[in-house]
Amino acid sequence: MRESSMGKYSIVKQPKSPHEPLVSHKHTTELYEFFEAHRHIRDRETHSRLQVDLVVHLWKLHGES
């Protein structure tokens, strides 16, 4: 099964010997979600917003102590 443009696909390489591991390039939901989250964080606007939110959070936790 294969679809283009980041769709689902499955490619399985059969091992040549019994000791060679089975290799699969099947997309999983978790992997796709990881890549989407990574892409989102790499966005400059999102990155800046997350930095500001972290600073605000740390100030709330630790205050001016």
Side-chain angles (χ1 to χ4, degrees), residues 41-53:
I41 290 171
R42 296 280 300 181
D43 177 68
R44 187 177 300 257
E45 182 180 331
T46 302
H47 177 81
S48 297
R49 189 173 53 245
L50 287 171
Q51 279 185 319
V52 170
D53 289 347

Side-chain angles (χ1 to χ4, degrees), residues 11-53:
I11 300 171
V12 177
K13 178 184 174 195
Q14 295 298 326
K16 295 178 183 175
S17 73
H19 303 290
E20 186 179 346
L22 180 66
V23 178
S24 174
H25 298 280
K26 181 179 181 182
H27 275 260
T28 63
T29 302
E30 295 85 12
L31 184 60
Y32 180 74
E33 288 172 355
F34 170 80
F35 285 132
E36 282 298 304
H38 184 265
R39 183 188 60 76
H40 185 66
I41 290 171
R42 296 280 300 181
D43 177 68
R44 187 177 300 257
E45 182 180 331
T46 302
H47 177 81
S48 297
R49 189 173 53 245
L50 287 171
Q51 279 185 319
V52 170
D53 289 347

